[in-house]
Amino acid sequence: MTAISSSEGYAPFRDYRTWYRITGSLSSDRLPLVVAHGGPGCTHDYVDAFKDIAALDGRAVIHYDQLGNGNSTRLPDKGPDFWTVELFLDELDNLLNHLGIQDRYAYLGQSWGGMLGSEHAVRRPAGLKAFVIANSPANMRTWVAEANRLRRELPDDVQATLLRHEEAGTITDPDYIAASRVFYDRHVCRVTPWPEEVARTFAIMDEDNTVYRNMNGPTEFHVIGTLKDWTIEDRLHRIAAPTLLISGRHDEATPLVVKPYVDNVPGCRWVVFENSSHMPHVEEKALCLSTVSDFLKQFD
């Protein structure tokens, strides 16, 4: 694959700054693609693969670390009242304006990034020309119910370990973390060992899990943070941008979790990756990237 140039920078945001990287050139006539990571509280690293779309079709691909994460300003002392959906919507608008692409762009959000993107898209921003929702819930209660259904399919000893530590409040115990990993290896990333960029995101989160802890909770199936009652199901009909939904056959974002997008977003197209869980962009990378690229080309 041809090497593509990249550049990094910071967008001032309130009293902080948002780190971003542009792969390719913003002067291309292709729609620039903004890629938003999940979590909330992950980093751009695990969705790094999407930068290769720049080499596939010549569009600029913009990654960024959301406030509190990765290379952006870390705020470990901020509590739940600070970390809101509105904060991250404002940050996204600020980044679009900083880059000068607010009038014409595509957006891909993975997991929480797709939730954030949906909150953005229901406002019908004029510049959003194409929208990709990757492995995202539309209702956190459904997400938790399905995660716990999948959890009940884990080996009995793993389930017992998880429950014991949750009841005791010892969720940082190595045994609890190891038991959680059994779920993650089935339903988050099935590539073993995890690709370096995926492992890097989780290592950074181990250092500073402020955002994830406040908004989500300790694990994917023990959601006790501020997003626990979040839903966008009743607003999805407002989305006007052409929309592609992707998910994996073994995804923690099960068909029940993602179906509201299919049912309620006008014209939403849904592609399921048969050999993937929550990260088709690394589990079936070539097919995933070409699927996204082919979708975006329709709107260049």
Side-chain angles (χ1 to χ4, degrees), residues 14 39 51 66 84 108 118 134 146 191 196 201 222 286:
R14 299 184 182 175
K51 73 179 185 293
Q66 294 157 31
T84 63
L108 182 151
S118 298
E146 283 293 274
V191 177
E196 193 273 333
T201 281
H222 195 49

Side-chain angles (χ1 to χ4, degrees), residues 152-190:
R152 290 192 292 274
E153 297 174 1
L154 298 176
D156 289 345
D157 61 324
V158 172
Q159 293 186 57
T161 300
L162 291 170
L163 186 61
R164 182 172 70 253
H165 286 290
E166 285 165 3
E167 288 178 342
T170 51
I171 56 177
T172 57
D173 187 284
D175 288 345
Y176 182 79
I177 293 167
S180 300
R181 180 63 186 259
V182 177
F183 178 92
Y184 283 56
D185 285 343
R186 285 191 182 191
H187 301 297
V188 178
C189 183
R190 293 165 69 87

Side-chain angles (χ1 to χ4, degrees), residues 15-35:
D15 295 329
Y16 318 113
R17 58 184 196 167
T18 302
W19 174 90
Y20 64 86
R21 184 192 65 212
I22 305 168
T23 305
S25 173
L26 286 177
S27 63
S28 166
D29 58 0
R30 300 276 195 183
L31 277 172
L33 174 65
V34 176
V35 178

Side-chain angles (χ1 to χ4, degrees), residues 39-248:
C42 290
T43 68
H44 78 281
D45 301 82
Y46 83 97
V47 286
D48 197 53
F50 286 112
K51 73 179 185 293
D52 289 344
I53 289 177
L56 273 182
D57 62 23
R59 80 185 64 252
V61 179
I62 298 129
H63 283 76
Y64 74 107
D65 282 335
Q66 294 157 31
L67 188 65
N69 308 298
N71 300 318
S72 294
T73 306
R74 304 275 193 96
L75 297 161
D77 297 328
K78 297 291 187 184
D81 292 346
F82 181 82
W83 304 108
T84 63
V85 172
E86 201 66 39
L87 170 76
F88 292 108
L89 285 171
D90 288 350
E91 181 187 34
L92 173 59
D93 286 340
N94 181 73
L95 178 65
L96 296 170
N97 288 320
H98 177 80
L99 296 174
I101 60 173
Q102 69 277 8
D103 295 330
R104 185 177 176 272
Y105 60 95
Y107 176 103
L108 182 151
Q110 201 280 334
S111 198
W112 147 254
M115 296 159 63
L116 177 65
S118 298
E119 291 276 7
H120 180 69
V122 298
R123 300 178 173 200
R124 297 187 173 180
L128 179 62
K129 305 303 182 186
F131 179 31
V132 183
I133 304 167
N135 324 91
S136 304
N139 184 319
M140 286 301 286
R141 291 187 177 186
T142 308
W143 168 269
V144 170
E146 283 293 274
N148 281 287
R149 179 180 66 78
L150 296 174
R151 171 173 159 159
R152 290 192 292 274
E153 297 174 1
L154 298 176
D156 289 345
D157 61 324
V158 172
Q159 293 186 57
T161 300
L162 291 170
L163 186 61
R164 182 172 70 253
H165 286 290
E166 285 165 3
E167 288 178 342
T170 51
I171 56 177
T172 57
D173 187 284
D175 288 345
Y176 182 79
I177 293 167
S180 300
R181 180 63 186 259
V182 177
F183 178 92
Y184 283 56
D185 285 343
R186 285 191 182 191
H187 301 297
V188 178
C189 183
R190 293 165 69 87
V191 177
T192 306
W194 281 354
E196 193 273 333
E197 69 269 25
V198 174
R200 193 161 65 241
T201 281
F202 281 91
I204 295 168
M205 290 177 74
D206 285 343
E207 283 172 28
D208 181 356
N209 68 353
T210 305
V211 183
Y212 188 77
R213 184 182 71 249
N214 279 288
M215 295 185 76
N216 184 86
T219 64
E220 296 295 271
F221 41 78
H222 195 49
V223 178
I224 55 177
T226 55
L227 283 178
K228 67 181 187 298
D229 297 319
W230 177 89
T231 181
I232 199 165
E233 285 177 296
D234 59 345
R235 293 176 284 146
L236 290 174
H237 64 278
R238 300 180 194 165
I239 293 178
T243 301
L244 170 68
L245 169 71
I246 64 176
S247 64

